[in-house]
Amino acid sequence: MNATETTRPAAFAAPMAGTPLLEAVDVTKSFTQDGTPTQALKGVSLSVAPGEFVSIVGRSGSGKSTFLSVLSTLLRPDSGQLTYNGQDLTRATEAEVNALRHGDFAVIFQFHYLLPYLTALENTLLPFMRGLRPVSGAQRRRALECLERVGLADKGHRLPGQLSGGEQQRVAIARALVKDARVLFADEPTGSLDSATGATVMELLSQIHKDGLSVVMVTHNEQYASLSDRVVRMTDGLMA
Amino acid sequence: MNILTIALRNARKKWVRTLLLLLVFTLGVVSIVSLNFVSRVVGEGLEKKLVSFGANILVSPKSEKLTVSYGGFALGDMLFDVTYLDEKDTIARVDAIELRKNISVIAPKLVVMDRVQGTAVAIVGVRFAQEKLLKGYWMVEQGAIPGEEPAPMSAKPKGSGMHAPSAPAPAAASPTGLPQAAMAPLGVPLDTYKGNGVLVGSAAAAKLNLKLGSEIPLGNTHMVVTGILAPTGSEDDNVLLADLTFVQNAVGRPGKANFVEVAALCSGCPIEDIVHQLATALPGVEIKTLRNIVEQRMYSVHFVKQLILSVSLVILLTGCSMVGISMLSAVNERKKEIGILRSLGFSRRAVFSIFCAEAASIGLLAGLAGYVTGYAVSFRILAVLDMAEGAVLSFEPLHLAATVLILALLTSLASLVPAWKAAAIEPSEALVTL
């Protein structure tokens, strides 16, 4: 049995043939910053097919990170529609959204955001530590496999402070992989890394994509974006 | 590894803050626990000490009394329709009340007036076993309490002119010429003593020139002095105290008593409740509390308890505020961490639980360490202040468990607002750079 299958909600059980896995239609989002209302998304649409690697590029302030947050359910849109596997996520309950974040969706950030007091292995196991039920042996083995895959099999016992920036980002990727997610959202995953380390991380994302995972990545780097199946550009809250 | 690992690892990582919090809270618990222990032991000791000063409830028959005075000259009180209590019945009814466990002594008395060598004197019939418990301040200067062996000679004051009570004057030598009663047998257990021995108050002995072995006529019989009390500063100095049964028979009132003195222990009950139960059990009988003593006792115990309660509340409030403030600052510090947990599918309830568990773990540890330390500190305080007065400090595992649980609950409650604030954090708020 897969380590995470038990937590995947029935509504998102399997992608339906012929339908996009993830689809955003005419999504808008506005904020108030320093008392000034700002419309970050002005009606953005995007469709991601199962197993597709899509890169979103654009200048700072173009709204690409905001859009990724909406796609990954970290942010609710003001209007528009967001569907995953045919299910309307804008109407999903909080429990359904939590289940999706826990199961099908995985997010990695520019800053890896590991818990500093947990080891690399424990950080990888974090998605399984939601309740009082202890982490199982199968889940532990799965986490070790993921660490091995990102090249950190021998560093599972280390705290984040004892790892380099690239290693920390790879732990974050292992944490995303451990739960067998279907879509990986990556927000500037190489933004805080030097070019060599960034290239390693990108190579890892490519491999993950080749294994069948859908990837939606936000990046400034055109070279990294070219590794994806499709590149979309955003300017001033709109698709270019 | 589970959700508690997150709470406990964070507490370990921030060990300085956790230790400080733990220390402050433990000190608070130590203060509360030790103050409670000390107050309880001192309260019990106080009760024991106060009870040794005498009775605090008087049970007597209802009587009509008239205070007579004319032209500024007081003629004293006139009593109409003098009635007596039935000794056995009264004691049985007192013995049967619900708060019987709070009653330490029941002492019936029959008072008769007589003339000894031409001087009026009160002879009080008492049960010496009960009387001795009631009057812990009694010291026998010469001889012994009727029914008891006299203390060794060395313990007696010099020049007391004591006669050996074990060899009292023979009854046949009675100067009264009245029929002889059995001599006071010494060494008989006090509660079964029914002899004619008499214990004389210090002033009465001096005034009537009574010595050990002196005989005193009473009705158709006589009494023999077996002991003389040291001055007590009380009414006992002026009276003769004899066995109640002996006095009852001598004056022809078998089984009767004028009044019954009751000593109640009231650290755990209001004296009013005992009085109420006595009044119900003894209809038509007057129940009086000796207010001064009772109020003094209750005031002392209540004062200490109120003080402890106030100090405990202040300490607990301070400790809880510290936990709350510390948790609140931790929530602000750990905003990104909360965001990451929420992005991994942790529910609001799970995030809420992490903060509550962290606070509860501090409460658990502080409760455990505080109780054990408080218990040890109580010993030291009681030893230094010498205030136990015979009361015993006992370790109660149930109290320990209750303390630990209550503290865990209190610290959890103190962290409710920060935990709620943490649970309300949206991942976008913590992680997303807009």
Side-chain angles (χ1 to χ4, degrees), chain A residues 31 33 65-66 69 74-75 94 98 101-102 105 107 109 112-113 115-119 122 125-127 129-135 140 159 175 179, chain B residues 1-7 9-10 12-13 334 336-348 350 354 426-434:
Chain A
F31 304 100
Q33 280 184 315
S65 284
T66 304
S69 297
L74 299 184
L75 208 56
E94 188 163 308
N98 281 337
R101 286 176 190 163
H102 179 62
F105 287 5
V107 191
F109 301 90
H112 40 77
Y113 297 138
L115 301 199
Y117 45 84
L118 297 182
T119 63
E122 288 164 344
L125 281 165
L126 200 55
M129 291 161 68
R130 290 196 309 169
L132 286 171
R133 187 163 25 153
V135 168
R140 199 181 177 84
L159 291 169
R175 185 176 64 192
K179 50 188 187 164
Chain B
M1 262 182 284
N2 58 14
I3 195 165
L4 295 179
T5 311
I6 301 171
R9 285 292 174 81
N10 181 64
R12 196 174 74 178
K13 172 81 177 172
R334 294 162 67 186
K336 290 204 183 309
E337 190 182 306
I338 295 161
I340 224 32
L341 294 174
R342 297 281 283 127
S343 78
L344 287 170
F346 279 61
S347 63
R348 289 178 197 275
I354 290 171
E426 287 291 342
S428 56
E429 189 187 329
L431 303 173
V432 176
T433 312
L434 303 166

Side-chain angles (χ1 to χ4, degrees), chain A:
Chain A
M1 188 179 71
N2 187 292
T4 58
E5 272 178 359
T6 50
T7 57
R8 181 162 291 150
F12 310 115
M16 291 191 296
T19 59
L21 182 65
L22 183 67
E23 188 172 34
V25 179
D26 207 17
V27 168
T28 67
K29 183 73 188 175
S30 56
F31 304 100
T32 303
Q33 280 184 315
D34 303 325
T36 312
T38 308
Q39 188 150 22
L41 301 176
K42 300 171 182 171
V44 189
S45 301
L46 180 73
S47 181
V48 181
E52 191 180 16
F53 189 160
V54 179
S55 287
I56 305 171
V57 295
R59 292 165 63 180
S60 290
S62 61
K64 56 188 188 302
S65 284
T66 304
F67 187 45
L68 190 84
S69 297
V70 170
L71 290 174
S72 59
T73 72
L74 299 184
L75 208 56
R76 283 202 183 252
D78 293 340
S79 67
Q81 200 174 30
L82 179 67
T83 55
Y84 171 69
N85 196 23
Q87 306 291 317
D88 187 355
L89 297 186
T90 54
R91 291 183 185 178
T93 62
E94 188 163 308
E96 286 170 338
V97 169
N98 281 337
L100 199 62
R101 286 176 190 163
H102 179 62
D104 286 15
F105 287 5
V107 191
I108 55 174
F109 301 90
Q110 177 177 355
F111 302 101
H112 40 77
Y113 297 138
L114 301 178
L115 301 199
Y117 45 84
L118 297 182
T119 63
L121 177 63
E122 288 164 344
N123 265 292
T124 309
L125 281 165
L126 200 55
F128 304 130
M129 291 161 68
R130 290 196 309 169
L132 286 171
R133 187 163 25 153
V135 168
S136 69
Q139 288 168 335
R140 199 181 177 84
R141 280 193 295 278
R142 170 76 184 147
L144 286 168
E145 277 169 25
C146 292
L147 280 176
E148 194 175 353
R149 181 157 187 204
V150 299
L152 294 172
D154 56 336
K155 293 184 179 173
H157 61 283
R158 292 200 183 172
L159 291 169
Q162 298 166 319
L163 299 171
S164 68
E167 287 172 334
Q168 289 182 38
Q169 189 62 289
R170 280 189 278 161
V171 174
I173 293 171
R175 185 176 64 192
L177 292 177
V178 78
K179 50 188 187 164
D180 277 340
R182 289 184 178 144
V183 188
L184 175 67
F185 299 94
D187 188 3
E188 304 270 11
T190 59
S192 63
L193 305 175
D194 60 65
S195 55
T197 315
T200 312
V201 167
M202 278 311 300
E203 194 179 327
L204 196 58
L205 286 181
S206 288
Q207 282 171 15
I208 292 166
H209 164 239
K210 280 173 191 162
D211 290 346
L213 200 73
S214 299
V215 180
V216 181
M217 179 177 74
V218 162
T219 183
H220 280 108
N221 192 311
E222 294 282 348
Q223 191 189 342
Y224 294 154
S226 66
L227 293 171
S228 57
D229 298 331
R230 184 158 56 107
V231 179
V232 293
R233 292 178 192 282
M234 282 189 72
T235 311
D236 297 331
L238 289 165
M239 285 293 177

Side-chain angles (χ1 to χ4, degrees), chain B residues 292-422:
Chain B
N292 284 347
I293 297 172
V294 173
E295 280 171 7
Q296 185 190 350
R297 286 180 193 187
M298 298 313 289
Y299 178 79
S300 308
V301 174
H302 281 160
F303 175 77
V304 172
K305 284 188 175 167
Q306 292 294 326
L307 188 70
I308 300 310
L309 187 69
S310 311
V311 173
S312 301
L313 278 176
V314 170
I315 291 171
L316 275 179
L317 274 177
T318 310
C320 286
S321 305
M322 282 195 69
V323 169
I325 290 166
S326 165
M327 283 291 160
L328 206 58
S329 89
V331 169
N332 292 330
E333 276 174 30
R334 294 162 67 186
K335 224 169 177 173
K336 290 204 183 309
E337 190 182 306
I338 295 161
I340 224 32
L341 294 174
R342 297 281 283 127
S343 78
L344 287 170
F346 279 61
S347 63
R348 289 178 197 275
R349 189 187 295 175
V351 172
F352 185 87
S353 309
I354 290 171
F355 282 85
C356 283
E358 206 171 306
S361 67
I362 290 168
L364 276 171
L365 279 175
L368 190 66
Y371 189 91
V372 174
T373 314
Y375 182 69
V377 166
S378 309
F379 266 110
R380 186 74 192 135
I381 292 174
L382 289 169
V384 168
L385 301 179
D386 192 22
M387 287 163 69
E389 302 289 351
V392 181
L393 189 64
S394 59
F395 187 88
E396 292 175 43
L398 270 179
H399 282 186
L400 168 66
T403 306
V404 167
L405 284 177
I406 287 169
L407 277 163
L409 191 70
L410 271 178
T411 46
S412 301
L413 284 174
S415 70
L416 276 185
V417 172
W420 175 80
K421 201 180 164 195

Side-chain angles (χ1 to χ4, degrees), chain B residues 88-155:
Chain B
K88 276 188 182 169
D89 180 58
T90 307
I91 290 174
R93 284 167 187 262
V94 173
D95 214 27
I97 68 165
E98 198 183 328
L99 287 168
R100 171 64 180 90
K101 64 178 186 303
N102 292 89
I103 289 176
S104 60
V105 181
I106 306 169
K109 288 181 178 66
L110 179 66
V111 183
V112 294
M113 293 302 293
D114 201 2
R115 283 191 177 275
V116 175
Q117 296 166 16
T119 305
V121 67
I123 299 164
V124 185
V126 298
R127 297 276 173 229
F128 281 110
Q130 299 298 309
E131 211 60 22
K132 220 182 137 187
L133 288 174
L134 197 63
K135 292 168 180 173
Y137 53 84
W138 269 4
M139 284 184 70
V140 182
E141 199 173 50
Q142 296 176 44
I145 292 172
E148 277 192 334
E149 290 288 353
M153 289 292 285
S154 58

